[in-house]
Amino acid sequence: MVDFSLTEADQRLQAVAHRENEIGRKYAREWDRNSENEPSRIRGIHPDVAGLESPHAALEREQEQTSGLVIAEALMDMVSATDVNLRDTGEDAFGSWMLNDYGTEEQKAKYGHVKLAIAITEPGAGSDPANMRTNARYDPATDEYVLNGEKVFISFFNKFDGAVTLMKGEPDGAGKTPFMTVVVTKDLPGVTEIPQFKKLGIRSHELSGFHLQDVRVPAIARLDADFGKTMSKFNHNRPLVAAHALAGARSMLDFTHARLAEAGLKVDYAKGRSARSANEDRLIRMEALWEAAWGTVMRAKWLEHQMGSESHGYRVEASVAKALGGKVVRQITQGCLEILGPEGLSEEYLAEKWFRDVRIADIYEGAGEIQRILIARALLGYKNELN
Amino acid sequence: MISFELSEEQQIVRSTMAEFGKTVLAPQARRLDTDSCIDDGVLAELWSTEIIQAQAEAVEEEAGSRSPVTNAIILEELGAADATLALAMASTMGFVQAIADQGSAEQRARLLGGFAGETFQAAAVAMMEPRFGFDVSRFQTKADKAGDDYIVRGVKAMVPLASRCSHFLVVAEADGAADAFIVPLDAAGVTVVEPKGALGLRALEMAEVAFDSVRVPSSMRLGEGNGADVQRIIDSARVGISSILAGLSRGVMEYVIPYTKERIVHGAPLAQKQAIAFNIADMHIDVEAMRWLNWRAAWALEARQPATRTAQLAYTYAGQQAMRIADDGLQAFGGHGFVKAHPLELWYRNARSLSVLEGAAGV
């Protein structure tokens, strides 16, 4: 049966996520201003939430009573803006997850104790990994790989010990260079970390990178995780990127509704277009964008719940959710700031921050254009004919 | 519990309607638009689906067996074939739903039987009024109490299949609030004005209907005692319209895909140009988004949850995006999109037409 009701557990979990966001709200401005320069301030579990069950733990505990684990996760993500992460516990070490999933026992023994980021993007190769220049050359004399190249926009690299790094191997007989995945740790000679990027938004999301110059790693550093495996988390993550940004847009809309209500405008969904002011009409259209994107996130997550996260059966729907979510959060936050007018620009409020924060959603984890290529290929029966 | 799972019955209805739309309705769309009339043969084929009859009969069985979600699914499939014929069904469905949903026992018993017969029987909610700036929050049609009766005065506009309707559900202001009155076509003072022709949905012969001091007994006030929940009728209509728009949009996309793959421009198929391929991707994204909005609003109606907001958002989104999809679809065909050899120009007219209607459908 088609059903859009939330279970009691879904609603409880949304409340837990919302509470955590509200607690963090008072640090939002300070962290926005400072965390790129002083990341040490955001380490560990913040005292304000030290005694509280984390949203993540609550989800684990309640998952049986939800609409589905991955559905509830997305519902929690969409509830309101998460301006700060009050629990820096290292769960964002995605490279370590990969080591755990694809590493041998020997590799886990060697690298299991270090925290690893995941490094894919390069200055000249973001959406187009075939352009990747970072490379590995095998040296049979020492049974080592020699690495050269540069990686940028690497989440949390500054705080971790290294990164699971995607690169090109040596050309095979046919001249093709295979992708390979290598564990790079910061202590190796020739690894140079670059400073944190200064960004438009999501400033408490730490982002840096590194250069590799004739870095020698033992052969054991190479993981049996090819590019496809590296990408396998995308189907799960893409709707969540949309969900996370939709949360920012939700807070922006709620803020805009509240401020306009103070100024005497309350949105009435009953009447028709001819009886609305321009601002009321725009707000309704932006609410429609938000709910449209919500539906596509739920659809992708419901399919994921049916098929299992590793399935590729919901990849088009994951791209749909990502593409629409990334688009609407731009339109909504731009539109709300226009409606709010000059007062909305002030750093006294978070509206200007949400406007900046959500912009990345249409870029990372596959830009909107990449999602559209993937969707169009599926619809048209194309592969590389469409680029 | 969030679920997109269709029941077995819904899956069957969906595939049956898709097939019916493709093989029976779609091939007639151009001819009907040209004739500006739906002939009896097509109406009989529509009636043979028994969709309307099922709405009327369901009341007798169990209150919960009429399903706005199922109806939203049906209207998307019919809309993908031809929006005009989808609205021919949805308009009557809107009337029957309102009676089944809100009518008194006496009204249901008296009226619904008229929609269980062998031949097509139209009826319509008469909501819109013929003036610029009309809005569903302000009706100039009035129903004034006169003893045990009401006197209905006003003119309604864009009533689908008006001259074929046995009844109208006239939305009028009574005692300062919107209310609804069941008025037979043959009541004294009811005049169906000669249709003037319209941009789109031409075969529906949408017409003005004038109510010149029509005397309506209190027993024909929808729901009798407490009067009608007009907002629920508006909400249901919005979901009906947006379901047809989702279908229309999907129809455009499905027509654009093979053409743009075959049409070679500057050495490569049109579909391999990002400007075209991205539009096609956006069509798909929006059709999906519309459908989930429609299902959600229909589910809210079905579950008797507050539905006004979700219905408005489904309607707003579908109206906005369907117009864009029809526009992009026409553009992809270039000159072929502008001429009547292809249905793009028809869909372009229908998309604009449908998305400004209020009250003319139901799920």
Side-chain angles (χ1 to χ4, degrees):
Chain A
M1 279 284 284
V2 171
D3 188 351
F4 289 94
S5 65
L6 304 186
T7 70
E8 286 180 19
D10 291 338
Q11 295 175 53
R12 277 197 300 276
L13 289 166
Q14 284 184 316
V16 169
H18 187 64
R19 178 187 67 187
E20 186 95 351
N21 292 338
E22 288 300 309
I23 293 170
R25 199 81 67 211
K26 58 180 169 293
Y27 304 106
R29 179 59 62 191
E30 180 197 337
W31 289 26
D32 179 62
R33 286 181 180 150
N34 299 323
S35 48
E36 285 179 348
N37 304 314
E38 303 174 63
S40 59
R41 294 163 69 128
I42 61 178
R43 295 287 176 259
I45 293 178
H46 195 280
D48 284 8
V49 294
L52 298 173
E53 185 180 32
S54 77
H56 185 75
L59 175 59
E60 290 278 313
R61 180 172 54 74
E62 293 236 46
Q63 59 172 295
E64 293 303 321
Q65 278 71 49
T66 65
S67 288
L69 175 66
V70 295
I71 296 171
E73 181 185 25
L75 286 169
M76 293 170 77
D77 271 1
M78 285 188 282
V79 82
S80 57
T82 301
D83 290 300
V84 297
N85 175 13
L86 296 169
R87 301 170 194 268
D88 180 50
T89 54
E91 280 165 5
D92 39 13
F94 299 117
S96 295
W97 292 16
M98 280 194 66
L99 174 75
N100 202 42
D101 284 354
Y102 303 117
T104 62
E105 290 311 312
E106 199 184 356
Q107 288 171 322
K108 288 180 196 172
K110 183 167 171 65
Y111 297 112
H113 64 289
V114 296
K115 293 271 189 207
L116 298 168
I118 189 158
I120 300 173
T121 306
E122 299 181 5
S127 296
D128 179 15
N131 251 352
M132 212 171 262
R133 292 283 177 269
T134 301
N135 63 83
R137 177 177 58 80
Y138 183 65
D139 181 354
T142 57
D143 193 26
E144 288 174 321
Y145 288 100
V146 183
L147 315 179
N148 281 284
E150 182 182 9
K151 292 288 176 184
V152 293
F153 304 157
I154 312 306
S155 293
F156 316 119
F157 184 75
N158 57 316
K159 72 175 176 181
F160 292 144
D161 308 302
V164 171
T165 306
L166 190 66
M167 59 188 72
K168 292 288 196 70
E170 290 169 273
D172 60 17
K176 292 181 83 174
T177 48
F179 285 106
M180 39 186 287
T181 312
V182 178
V183 177
V184 173
T185 51
K186 289 181 182 177
D187 56 354
L188 297 168
V191 178
T192 312
E193 187 176 349
I194 63 173
Q196 268 209 67
F197 286 93
K198 303 285 196 283
K199 309 183 292 301
L200 172 69
I202 59 164
R203 290 178 182 159
S204 65
H205 182 105
E206 300 157 71
L207 212 57
S208 64
F210 54 93
H211 301 278
L212 301 169
Q213 187 169 19
D214 294 327
V215 175
R216 288 184 164 265
V217 295
I220 191 179
R222 180 178 180 179
L223 296 180
D224 179 25
D226 64 13
F227 189 60
K229 287 179 182 170
T230 309
M231 299 290 118
S232 71
K233 300 256 185 247
F234 272 5
N235 294 332
H236 172 80
N237 280 349
R238 282 177 168 157
L240 289 183
V241 169
H244 193 74
L246 284 168
R250 183 71 262 154
S251 287
M252 183 70 134
L253 282 165
D254 291 346
F255 177 82
T256 307
H257 281 294
R259 297 298 144 146
L260 290 186
E262 288 166 14
L265 177 75
K266 193 168 181 324
V267 171
D268 176 1
Y269 294 97
K271 63 194 182 189
R273 287 180 202 107
S274 295
R276 292 178 202 150
S277 70
N279 278 347
E280 191 174 14
D281 187 66
R282 284 195 74 185
L283 269 171
I284 286 174
R285 287 176 193 277
M286 291 192 290
E287 287 287 353
L289 293 175
W290 197 92
E291 297 293 350
W294 183 94
T296 61
V297 170
M298 283 292 104
R299 174 69 178 180
K301 286 295 163 184
W302 180 76
L303 287 173
E304 179 182 350
H305 179 60
Q306 306 294 308
M307 297 173 173
S309 294
E310 303 301 317
S311 169
H312 280 292
Y314 64 99
R315 68 194 163 81
V316 175
E317 286 80 4
S319 284
V320 165
K322 171 70 168 65
L324 188 60
K327 180 174 89 166
V328 306
V329 299
R330 292 162 65 181
Q331 294 176 334
I332 290 168
T333 54
Q334 291 164 13
C336 283
L337 272 197
E338 192 176 20
I339 290 174
L340 288 165
E343 186 65 7
L345 307 178
S346 169
E347 291 189 5
E348 185 181 347
Y349 318 103
L350 292 173
E352 66 81 30
K353 175 182 177 292
W354 296 324
F355 167 79
R356 292 184 284 109
D357 283 349
V358 303
R359 186 61 183 81
I360 190 62
D362 211 18
I363 299 171
Y364 65 4
E365 298 270 334
E369 290 77 7
I370 298 303
Q371 308 306 332
R372 283 173 178 78
I373 284 181
L374 296 174
I375 294 163
R377 282 178 179 171
L379 293 168
L380 294 159
Y382 285 157
K383 288 183 176 162
N384 292 332
E385 302 96 307
L386 178 63
N387 268 310
Chain B
M1 165 125 33
I2 298 273
S3 175
F4 290 75
E5 186 91 60
L6 297 183
S7 68
E8 198 177 328
E9 184 199 341
Q10 286 169 333
Q11 291 177 40
I12 292 168
V13 167
R14 188 186 206 180
S15 59
T16 308
M17 287 302 130
E19 182 66 18
F20 174 71
K22 198 173 293 177
T23 56
V24 180
L25 302 184
Q28 324 234 31
R30 171 58 70 189
R31 179 177 62 80
L32 298 180
D33 181 72
T34 305
D35 294 352
S36 297
C37 163
I38 308 177
D39 56 89
D40 291 341
V42 174
L43 288 176
E45 278 170 323
L46 281 176
W47 201 248
S48 72
T49 60
E50 300 194 348
I51 294 164
I52 304 291
Q53 296 92 312
Q55 314 294 315
E57 285 162 7
V59 181
E60 309 307 322
E61 298 160 14
E62 45 182 309
S65 66
R66 275 175 300 113
S67 167
V69 173
T70 304
N71 291 337
I73 292 165
I74 289 170
L75 291 180
E76 180 185 330
E77 295 306 327
L78 297 180
D82 182 39
T84 300
L85 293 175
L87 192 59
M89 294 296 267
S91 172
T92 299
M93 197 189 280
F95 178 91
V96 173
Q97 283 279 15
I99 303 298
D101 211 25
Q102 299 191 34
S104 63
E106 148 74 8
Q107 288 167 345
R108 294 201 305 268
R110 173 148 26 137
L111 292 161
L112 293 179
F115 299 90
E118 296 289 305
T119 54
F120 191 99
Q121 180 52 63
V125 176
M127 176 85 71
M128 293 166 282
E129 297 178 348
R131 65 178 181 279
F132 295 106
F134 162 76
D135 193 83
V136 291
S137 59
R138 310 178 283 233
F139 295 102
Q140 282 184 6
T141 302
K142 306 290 182 210
D144 297 317
K145 197 100 171 81
D148 270 353
D149 301 334
Y150 285 87
I151 307 297
V152 175
R153 295 185 184 87
V155 183
K156 292 296 180 177
M158 296 294 164
V159 179
L161 298 174
S163 59
R164 291 179 181 268
C165 287
S166 62
H167 295 81
F168 304 105
L169 184 63
V170 182
V171 179
E173 194 182 294
D175 291 332
D179 211 331
F181 298 85
I182 302 155
V183 182
L185 173 72
D186 55 12
V190 176
T191 313
V192 175
V193 178
E194 181 71 18
K196 297 164 186 170
L199 169 72
L201 308 168
R202 296 177 59 82
L204 287 171
E205 300 179 85
M206 294 187 294
E208 288 177 15
V209 182
F211 299 88
D212 184 10
S213 299
V214 177
R215 184 169 285 271
V216 180
S218 297
S219 62
M220 294 298 254
R221 181 178 173 219
L222 183 63
E224 298 194 56
N226 300 322
D229 181 351
V230 171
Q231 191 58 47
R232 188 170 165 84
I233 297 171
I234 295 170
D235 295 344
S236 176
R238 284 173 176 162
V239 183
I241 298 280
S242 60
S243 298
I244 300 172
L245 285 166
L248 185 156
S249 301
R250 206 184 83 210
V252 172
M253 179 183 78
E254 288 170 354
Y255 198 79
V256 165
I257 286 173
Y259 178 80
T260 54
K261 286 182 75 173
E262 282 165 22
R263 171 82 187 202
I264 306 294
V265 179
H266 299 299
L270 261 185
Q272 288 180 21
K273 321 280 183 195
Q274 283 195 354
I276 298 294
F278 283 13
N279 277 347
I280 291 171
D282 280 326
M283 289 176 187
H284 176 74
I285 291 167
D286 279 331
V287 168
E288 297 255 307
M290 280 182 221
R291 184 183 301 126
W292 316 139
L293 278 167
N294 294 340
W295 286 15
R296 193 170 170 206
W299 168 82
L301 286 166
E302 190 164 321
R304 300 245 162 208
Q305 301 279 325
T308 299
R309 178 176 178 272
T310 50
Q312 172 68 263
L313 299 183
Y315 172 71
T316 298
Y317 193 79
Q320 179 178 292
Q321 301 309 114
M323 187 66 254
R324 195 200 136 152
I325 288 169
D327 190 34
D328 286 343
L330 191 153
Q331 186 71 13
F333 274 66
H336 296 293
F338 195 72
V339 298
K340 293 195 171 184
H342 288 281
L344 281 311
E345 64 82 30
L346 168 61
W347 292 335
Y348 184 70
R349 290 184 282 118
N350 283 348
R352 181 71 294 159
S353 305
L354 258 180
S355 56
V356 298
L357 298 182
E358 288 260 37
V363 287

